[in-house]
Amino acid sequence: MTFSPFVAGCTSFAPGFPGSGLTRTFEAPIARVKPAFVSTLAQIGLPVSAIETRGGNEVLKARKAGKSVEIEFERVNAAATRVRITGSGETAAQVMRETERRLAAG
């Protein structure tokens, strides 16, 4: 049996935030998903500028040179994490794609 680190997700727009919004649910605990996103941000040169708590969810903010993203982590259960990303331009999609690859690679 092959393990897939994510469940089929959906793409949605996040009203009130600039740029596009994406949502995915990963079949992985937050302790695995969050570091994968932080590594992706570092790899593409977007340093984390703030960490906040919003409605019980953790939110990472990263920005540099006209690019910015907000990544919200929601614990669905012990083995699943929902992630919402909003960002400028193609940045949110790039962060999601790169992190999906990172999690799939193990």
Side-chain angles (χ1 to χ4, degrees):
M1 177 165 75
T2 303
F3 173 78
S4 173
F6 31 83
V7 175
C10 62
T11 302
S12 61
F13 291 98
F17 291 100
S20 62
L22 301 170
T23 302
R24 295 279 189 275
T25 300
F26 294 89
E27 285 185 337
I30 197 167
R32 183 164 174 243
V33 174
K34 184 178 155 190
F37 274 92
V38 171
S39 292
T40 297
L41 292 171
Q43 175 189 344
I44 65 173
L46 278 173
V48 174
S49 59
I51 301 173
E52 301 175 356
T53 301
R54 184 182 300 154
N57 297 333
E58 192 166 352
V59 178
L60 296 181
K61 294 182 178 186
R63 67 181 62 240
K64 181 180 178 185
K67 293 182 179 183
S68 65
V69 293
E70 281 192 13
I71 306 169
E72 183 174 354
F73 300 94
E74 177 184 353
R75 182 186 306 259
V76 176
N77 58 43
T81 306
R82 184 171 299 118
V83 177
R84 292 177 195 89
I85 303 179
T86 56
S88 52
E90 174 65 15
T91 305
Q94 178 186 10
V95 170
M96 184 66 82
R97 278 191 313 270
E98 294 297 323
T99 303
E100 287 173 340
R101 286 186 198 122
R102 185 178 302 277
L103 285 166

